[in-house]
């Protein structure tokens, strides 16, 4: 017995153009006004140190820093701090790992 074929109705074509509620062109500010606003922004917002810089600062201490110290300074989870240490190693910084008498591991940057 031969199989019957159903004829497929073609699907309607997709609309590619989308209408936007917002106009696409932005009004351009004058050159003097734009440079004034960028200067005002740069002096008003103080530059905060990055978390990576905080990690490096802790690792540069003579005793180094434990994972708990790094977690406290950055607010990251343990695996994120360990990944940051791996990133520092990949950048070419040499990390020294020492255990104290209590069994806590301290990491520090090796003297260059």
């Amino acid at each position: 017995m031969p199989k019957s074929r159903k004829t497929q109705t073609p699907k309607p074509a997709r609309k590619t153009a989308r209408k936007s509620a917002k106009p696409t062109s932005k009004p351009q500010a004058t050159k003097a006004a734009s440079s004034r606003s960028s200067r005002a922004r740069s002096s008003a917002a103080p530059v905060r140190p990055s978390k990576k810089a905080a990690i490096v600062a802790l690792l540069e201490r003579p005793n180094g820093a434990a994972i708990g110290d790094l977690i406290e300074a950055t607010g990251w989870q343990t695996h994120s701090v360990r990944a940051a240490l791996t990133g520092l190693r990949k950048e070419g910084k040499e990390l020294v790992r020492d255990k104290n008498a209590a069994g806590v591991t301290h990491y520090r940057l090796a003297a260059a």
Side-chain angles (χ1 to χ4, degrees), residues 9-52:
T9 58
K11 294 182 180 179
R14 252 198 251 184
K15 295 181 183 179
T16 57
R18 293 185 179 175
K19 293 182 182 178
S20 175
K22 296 180 182 178
T24 56
S25 63
K26 294 181 182 178
Q28 294 181 353
T30 62
K31 185 177 180 181
S34 65
S35 65
R36 225 181 303 128
S37 65
S38 65
R39 259 188 266 134
R41 247 185 284 130
S42 63
S43 63
V47 178
R48 70 171 190 191
S50 66
K51 291 184 179 183
K52 182 178 174 183

Side-chain angles (χ1 to χ4, degrees), residues 50-100:
S50 66
K51 291 184 179 183
K52 182 178 174 183
I55 287 177
V56 171
L58 288 172
L59 294 175
E60 287 175 341
R61 297 187 305 190
N63 293 338
I67 292 288
D69 300 334
L70 299 172
I71 289 171
E72 202 173 299
T74 58
W76 292 343
Q77 294 182 357
T78 306
H79 64 277
S80 300
V81 171
R82 291 184 192 277
L85 294 176
T86 302
L88 290 174
R89 284 188 191 109
K90 287 185 176 183
E91 287 177 5
K93 298 185 193 293
E94 186 179 346
L95 290 175
V96 178
R97 189 172 52 181
D98 297 322
K99 274 194 178 179
N100 62 9

